[in-house]
Amino acid sequence: MQTIYLVPHSHYDVAWAFTKEDYLEITEDILQRAVELMKKYDDYKFSWEQIFPLKVLEQRNPKLWSDIKEMIQKGKMEIVDGQYLMPDTMLPTGEVLVREIFFGKKYCKEKFGVDVPVAWVADSFGMNAQLPQIYKKSGYEWVAFRRGAKEMHSEFLWRGLDGTTILAHWMPLGYRAGFYLDKLQERYIELNKYAATFHILMPSGSGSVPPQEEVIDVVRKWNEDHRGGSQMKIATPSEFFQAVQREGGRLKLHEGELYDEDLSNVFPQVCSSRMWVVLGARKCEALLATSEWFATLAWLIGGEYPQALLNECWEKMLFVAFHDIITGCGVDEIYNDVREIFSFLDELLPKIVNDSLRFIASKIDTQGEAVVVFNSLPWAMKNWCEVDLELKGWGKEPGLRYGEEEVESQVLGLERDGEGKISQAKLGFFADLPPMGYKVYKVIERSREPEKAIEIREHVVENPFFTLKVDPETGIVEVFDKEGKLLVKGNELRIENEIGDLYHHLHMFFELVKSESGEGIYYGTFKPDSFRIQHGPLKSRIVLDEGYYCLRWPYRLFEKFGTKRYEHRVLDVTKEVIVYRDLARIEFITKVKSMYPHMRLRVEFDTFKERMVYFRETQFGVVPEPTQLFASLEKTGIPAGIPSFLSWFSYGDGTRGITFMDKGIPATEIRGSKVYLTLLRSVGILSADGDAGPLIPTPDALELNRDYIYEYALRHHEGDWKQSEAYKDSQEFHHCPLYTQANAEGNLPLEFSFLEITPNNLILSALKKAEDSEEVILRFFETKGEETVAEIELFRKIERATVANLLEEEEYELKADRNKLKFEVKPFEIVTLKLRL
């Protein structure tokens, strides 16, 4: 006999079609109604997802909160998922996903005395490939999800990148399968087609909808009408999974990322709506990680750890990571909260970083006026560093020295006082830094120029790694190797027609409005305002200022007559290309201010090779191209859109390739040999089809008169992404050296490393004070998919070391050799250590 598990629930949106405050009021009504039903009927149960509204309710309505606690402890109400808020699982970093779980489950344990065994992913735009490991290491036994699968059994074993498997349920009809009580028979028939066992999960709820009392009678009547055929019961998700597990039998195994063709048409468009949200999230994610890392180092040498402040920052970051906020698909009003959060984090986090750096510097014997330059990565790094110096009465240009040798540097700017003396200076140089540590550079009078310099010949820039040619009319670059072979051409802007909504890209009549190379409709054109190459021996900048005009005259035969008039300027653009003497990466900074509604702006690069293999960063790892999915899409004429990459992807043939890196541009498309990065989409409505959401105007999402700055880079390399260490390139692009100016008489040396993790395929994710003890939490992950022997060296003796789960709960002890640890790490394994120093 089949058993149908009807699960009354309500999906919570912290903000989407209503504001945060609106949803809190709605939620209070829903939970009040649910409690009344649980008290009234012995066999009524209810499931609830997220912790943030319960935390608010604890203060606002203590009586209702107390009733909820009673229902949870009686087993009538189940917390499913139990995260602080339900994030999108594709866009935020892995560490953000961990903290959503950590903050939520910690609250459940402390306030309700329960663990949460079911991960309930009701509304994410896909399921990243490391979730099985994340969930298992966070204490989940099972996962139920809505999006990412198609035409498969609803129950299966899901294996992640590292080999971890978890029992999973895909909701074929979503979380509203049993919502319409008059349609349960047809829904049952449909769900039965996908069921792998005699147990059928039928979620009975929707977004922010009160529970239905009629469900009691409906279930009773079902059982009367289906005697001997099927039984329906009001249940919790745990009851369903326990029954599936008891039944046993062989379930099919599915591996890796869960992302289907339906999502490939939606997710790249969603995450490029309101691009300022993703850009701001990436910036704050990086700032928050850096703040925590250096606050921990400062604490370990005697500073005060700002735990309360960091936790407040994390909770704000977790709000931004919510699945309908970070993806930009809500009404305009909800993003006022996001702006306030970014403003708060932009002000507080740099202060935490700078306070930590200054504290560490105060413990160093700098031997006079100096610059202390910090490396936040756990391996030795040579990277470009720019420092702003405060000087008093300097007559000659300043320079830097380490030990007895003056360091090659480039003067980037000078300011003089009323007497003509130098009061401020900006210097750039290549800092050669120890692993997660610092080096002290003495400030001296400059006495030497760099021995070798970047070569400039008209519109050609050359360093030891490549030759770059730029078109002064368009800013389009061509990159050649040292043998003269063209490797890549691009950084070309494309304005495209956009009549879609926050979820979908659509165009009418034609897609391309205009490209910088001249393709598109003939009425409009890009026009350069200025072009310049700022030549420096160590760093050179190519800068093009331009605008786009919707109308030029004459309309036709402009090749013959030339353009005499430009009208209706709707786009201001500054394109900057940066070349370094000692670095193989090329950096791009593109600034855009648009007055052009209903358009999509993308930047194009041509690799001159079609359908090479690509690998992209995902949370805590790297995934290969989903070849079968994209091959099938291309046959139907649908472009191959990369689901999302956090900070890099590598595109090549295994012997040579190009690594693309960015700071917050998640939507990418590959079409033939060309790569397109989406910079912004201008749309004016939430959902044009009235199905994905309501037809609500979103004028703020038109992106008009908003100043955007995009940072991205590329590096051509020999070998594949592993041989070229693409992940290392990206880490160094994102974690440039930090510095503080100091004159201190401490006892730390001029060069020092606090932490080293080798080899470099082990990527640092967290370094923090443990939540409930005086120990240190160190988290890293293996990113090449290779078995690795990890070697960790700290600056202090390790008194005790244990491997912990993602909830900071100890699992087993490791043997330390004074200040060192050495142990094996599995491919793509996430490792969390709890250390007593």
Side-chain angles (χ1 to χ4, degrees):
M1 177 182 291
Q2 286 186 318
T3 303
I4 303 163
Y5 298 79
L6 194 75
V7 177
H9 74 97
S10 183
H11 171 60
Y12 173 71
D13 286 317
V14 68
W16 178 53
F18 290 105
T19 65
K20 177 177 69 175
E21 188 58 39
D22 292 335
Y23 278 122
L24 285 171
E25 293 176 5
I26 290 168
T27 295
E28 191 169 344
D29 291 341
I30 290 170
L31 290 173
Q32 183 67 59
R33 179 61 172 156
V35 166
E36 291 170 0
L37 293 177
M38 284 183 281
K39 287 183 174 182
K40 184 176 180 180
Y41 299 101
D42 291 339
D43 52 352
Y44 186 82
K45 297 178 180 180
F46 190 76
S47 294
W48 183 255
E49 302 165 340
Q50 299 163 67
I51 298 310
F52 170 77
L54 299 183
K55 188 176 180 182
V56 174
L57 201 61
E58 185 179 7
Q59 303 301 319
R60 285 192 180 186
N61 192 334
K63 173 62 171 64
L64 176 56
W65 185 89
S66 180
D67 288 341
I68 290 170
K69 179 178 180 179
E70 180 185 351
M71 294 299 106
I72 291 172
Q73 293 178 336
K74 285 183 175 180
K76 301 204 69 180
M77 182 172 180
E78 179 172 57
I79 301 293
V80 291
D81 205 48
Q83 298 192 52
Y84 183 78
L85 285 165
M86 187 178 289
D88 183 77
T89 65
M90 300 289 283
L91 269 180
T93 63
E95 192 60 36
V96 171
L97 299 184
V98 168
R99 302 303 176 94
E100 291 277 15
I101 297 169
F102 181 86
F103 277 74
K105 281 203 163 194
K106 186 173 187 290
Y107 185 90
C108 292
K109 191 73 171 178
E110 291 177 352
K111 298 294 184 176
F112 305 131
V114 297
D115 292 318
V116 180
V118 180
W120 184 267
V121 192
D123 216 14
S124 178
F125 293 92
M127 303 286 283
N128 79 68
Q130 281 284 46
L131 285 176
Q133 183 180 186
I134 293 171
Y135 289 150
K136 276 294 187 74
K137 289 189 172 182
S138 299
Y140 293 109
E141 298 179 52
W142 314 292
V143 58
F145 68 98
R146 175 185 171 195
R147 297 191 183 105
K150 199 169 186 178
E151 302 305 323
M152 57 187 279
H153 281 135
S154 51
E155 293 74 41
F156 61 96
L157 295 177
W158 183 20
R159 179 183 291 165
L161 288 181
D162 73 315
T164 298
T165 59
I166 189 169
L167 176 57
H169 169 82
W170 162 53
M171 307 175 191
L173 303 181
Y175 56 68
R176 289 187 288 270
F179 179 62
Y180 298 102
L181 300 180
D182 59 339
K183 297 182 178 179
L184 295 187
Q185 179 67 39
E186 60 189 80
R187 292 305 180 113
Y188 161 66
I189 293 171
E190 191 66 22
L191 290 174
N192 197 31
K193 295 177 183 177
Y194 298 98
T197 72
F198 289 108
H199 306 281
I200 295 177
L201 181 66
M202 188 179 284
S204 181
S206 188
S208 300
V209 175
Q212 303 177 76
E213 185 172 5
E214 302 92 322
V215 72
I216 298 291
D217 292 332
V218 167
V219 170
R220 188 177 297 124
K221 188 173 187 310
W222 177 282
N223 290 331
E224 290 173 357
D225 294 344
H226 295 78
R227 293 182 188 276
S230 62
Q231 176 193 25
M232 182 179 290
K233 59 188 292 188
I234 298 175
T236 63
S238 288
E239 292 177 73
F240 163 76
F241 279 112
Q242 288 166 352
V244 171
Q245 208 156 265
R246 281 195 303 268
E247 182 176 313
R250 294 195 55 155
L251 297 176
K252 286 190 176 180
L253 181 70
H254 292 269
E255 298 186 85
E257 191 174 77
L258 297 174
Y259 183 87
D260 61 19
E261 55 263 39
D262 290 340
L263 286 173
S264 72
N265 289 324
V266 174
F267 183 62
Q269 318 311 328
V270 168
C271 66
S272 54
S273 303
R274 306 186 196 270
M275 274 290 290
W276 64 271
V277 178
V278 180
L279 291 168
R282 283 288 179 269
K283 178 183 177 183
C284 291
E285 286 169 342
L287 270 174
L288 189 45
T290 303
S291 299
E292 205 168 56
W293 298 352
F294 281 103
T296 302
L297 296 180
W299 169 63
L300 288 172
I301 60 171
E304 184 177 345
Y305 190 76
Q307 184 130 28
L309 277 178
L310 286 170
N311 283 350
E312 183 181 4
C313 292
W314 270 112
E315 288 189 355
K316 291 182 182 298
M317 189 70 242
L318 302 183
F319 178 89
V320 174
F322 179 75
H323 59 271
D324 286 328
I325 290 179
I326 194 170
T327 52
C329 61
V331 296
D332 288 349
E333 291 80 3
I334 72 174
Y335 294 96
N336 293 329
D337 284 335
V338 178
R339 291 185 178 91
E340 290 178 7
I341 287 172
F342 285 161
S343 178
F344 176 87
L345 296 178
D346 282 343
E347 180 179 351
L348 182 59
L349 291 175
K351 183 178 184 305
I352 293 175
V353 173
N354 291 329
D355 286 350
S356 300
L357 298 184
R358 283 193 288 265
F359 182 84
I360 295 170
S362 73
K363 303 297 182 182
I364 304 170
D365 182 6
T366 62
Q367 301 176 14
E369 195 67 30
V371 174
V372 185
V373 182
F374 294 84
N375 175 14
S376 59
L377 297 175
W379 58 69
M381 174 177 71
K382 180 179 181 180
N383 209 341
W384 180 252
C385 180
E386 296 185 1
V387 297
D388 291 298
L389 302 176
E390 297 289 335
L391 305 171
K392 292 183 180 179
W394 279 61
K396 293 185 178 181
E397 291 183 354
L400 298 170
R401 185 184 71 208
Y402 177 70
E404 299 301 317
E405 185 176 353
E406 182 174 351
V407 177
E408 289 185 307
S409 63
Q410 179 176 328
V411 176
L412 302 173
L414 294 173
E415 289 189 18
R416 299 180 184 271
D417 60 21
E419 299 179 356
K421 301 292 186 180
I422 298 173
S423 59
Q424 291 182 319
K426 188 179 189 69
L427 300 183
F429 64 104
F430 294 104
D432 206 344
L433 303 172
M436 189 162 269
Y438 65 81
K439 183 180 281 188
V440 177
Y441 293 88
K442 179 81 173 171
V443 181
I444 61 170
E445 289 187 349
R446 183 183 179 85
S447 65
R448 59 175 288 200
E449 295 294 328
E451 295 178 2
K452 295 182 180 180
I454 296 170
E455 294 184 26
I456 305 288
R457 301 186 305 277
E458 196 173 7
H459 304 136
V460 176
V461 180
E462 187 171 354
N463 71 4
F465 306 98
F466 55 79
T467 299
L468 185 146
K469 181 179 180 182
V470 60
D471 182 340
E473 296 295 315
T474 63
I476 296 172
V477 300
E478 294 177 298
V479 182
F480 301 84
D481 66 15
K482 300 307 289 183
E483 285 73 45
K485 181 179 179 179
L486 181 59
L487 303 173
V488 63
K489 177 180 180 180
N491 202 35
E492 177 180 2
L493 292 179
R494 291 169 53 95
I495 301 172
E496 297 172 346
N497 195 344
E498 176 65 85
I499 61 167
D501 56 24
L502 291 175
Y503 292 92
H504 302 94
H505 166 64
L506 298 171
H507 59 85
M508 184 182 293
F509 304 126
F510 54 86
E511 183 173 60
L512 179 61
V513 175
K514 201 71 178 182
S515 69
E516 285 178 308
S517 59
E519 294 180 280
I521 60 175
Y522 49 77
Y523 286 106
T525 187
F526 284 91
K527 178 180 179 294
D529 298 326
S530 65
F531 174 82
R532 58 197 180 276
I533 297 181
Q534 298 176 350
H535 182 203
L538 305 180
K539 173 187 176 181
S540 291
R541 298 168 64 240
I542 305 165
V543 183
L544 171 74
D545 295 311
E546 65 178 347
Y548 177 74
Y549 296 82
C550 294
L551 182 63
R552 63 180 171 183
W553 183 86
Y555 314 135
R556 297 172 175 84
L557 294 181
F558 42 80
E559 298 94 342
K560 179 177 181 180
F561 297 111
T563 302
K564 310 297 183 183
R565 296 178 66 90
Y566 299 86
E567 298 290 344
H568 303 289
R569 181 169 174 142
V570 292
L571 210 61
D572 295 332
V573 177
T574 297
K575 291 167 60 177
E576 181 177 337
V577 183
I578 301 172
V579 174
Y580 300 100
R581 189 194 67 182
D582 293 354
L583 298 179
R585 72 172 179 255
I586 305 169
E587 295 181 5
F588 302 89
I589 300 175
T590 298
K591 301 176 182 178
V592 175
K593 186 172 184 177
S594 173
M595 292 70 73
Y596 201 162
H598 302 292
M599 68 89 173
R600 180 170 71 170
L601 184 66
R602 302 202 291 176
V603 62
E604 173 191 308
F605 289 91
D606 194 341
T607 65
F608 301 101
K609 291 185 179 180
E610 293 196 18
R611 300 306 298 145
M612 296 186 289
V613 175
Y614 73 75
F615 290 80
R616 58 181 167 82
E617 183 188 25
T618 188
Q619 288 78 2
F620 296 124
V622 177
V623 293
E625 172 186 12
T627 308
Q628 293 179 338
L629 168 61
F630 288 158
S632 65
L633 290 176
E634 287 185 339
K635 289 178 181 178
T636 63
I638 299 173
I642 296 177
S644 167
F645 66 98
L646 295 182
S647 66
W648 68 268
F649 72 91
S650 184
Y651 188 54
D653 59 10
T655 59
R656 304 181 87 181
I658 299 171
T659 296
F660 290 85
M661 300 160 270
D662 83 276
K663 296 182 180 180
I665 308 174
T668 303
E669 178 186 322
I670 294 175
R671 187 182 294 179
S673 64
K674 296 180 179 179
V675 173
Y676 301 88
L677 308 180
T678 301
L679 302 185
L680 67 84
R681 294 175 64 240
S682 172
V683 294
I685 196 163
L686 194 151
S687 173
D689 63 7
D691 182 43
L695 278 75
I696 298 175
T698 56
D700 189 60
L702 289 171
E703 304 282 35
L704 302 180
N705 294 299
R706 180 168 287 135
D707 293 314
Y708 269 112
I709 301 176
Y710 304 94
E711 297 180 65
Y712 46 102
L714 64 82
R715 177 182 171 239
H716 183 266
H717 55 78
E718 300 296 323
D720 62 15
W721 69 275
K722 293 183 180 182
Q723 295 163 328
S724 66
E725 299 182 333
Y727 51 87
K728 182 172 180 287
D729 289 333
S730 178
Q731 287 282 307
E732 294 181 0
F733 176 58
H734 286 82
H735 295 279
C736 292
L738 305 170
Y739 77 95
T740 189
Q741 194 169 342
N743 188 343
E745 298 180 355
N747 54 18
L748 289 177
L750 295 175
E751 182 175 352
F752 194 68
S753 173
F754 293 98
L755 168 67
E756 182 174 10
I757 304 175
T758 56
N760 64 23
N761 56 310
L762 302 175
I763 307 297
L764 179 66
S765 181
L767 178 66
K768 63 184 286 283
K769 180 181 176 296
E771 200 70 20
D772 299 317
S773 72
E774 297 300 302
E775 292 162 300
V776 173
I777 297 297
L778 172 63
R779 182 160 36 251
F780 60 88
F781 61 95
E782 197 287 315
T783 199
K784 286 175 72 174
E786 298 177 353
E787 291 187 1
T788 301
V789 176
E791 297 188 45
I792 297 170
E793 182 173 353
L794 287 121
F795 74 107
R796 280 173 50 177
K797 182 181 178 182
I798 302 170
E799 301 292 344
R800 184 171 181 267
T802 57
V803 173
N805 63 17
L806 296 177
L807 302 179
E808 301 185 9
E809 299 166 340
E810 295 182 6
E811 295 186 336
Y812 58 90
E813 194 165 342
L814 292 174
K815 185 178 180 180
D817 180 10
R818 296 184 59 80
N819 65 330
K820 298 179 181 180
L821 289 168
K822 186 175 182 179
F823 56 95
E824 293 183 356
V825 176
K826 296 186 301 182
F828 295 120
E829 183 179 3
I830 306 166
V831 177
T832 303
L833 302 179
K834 183 179 279 189
L835 307 172
R836 186 193 305 154
L837 304 180

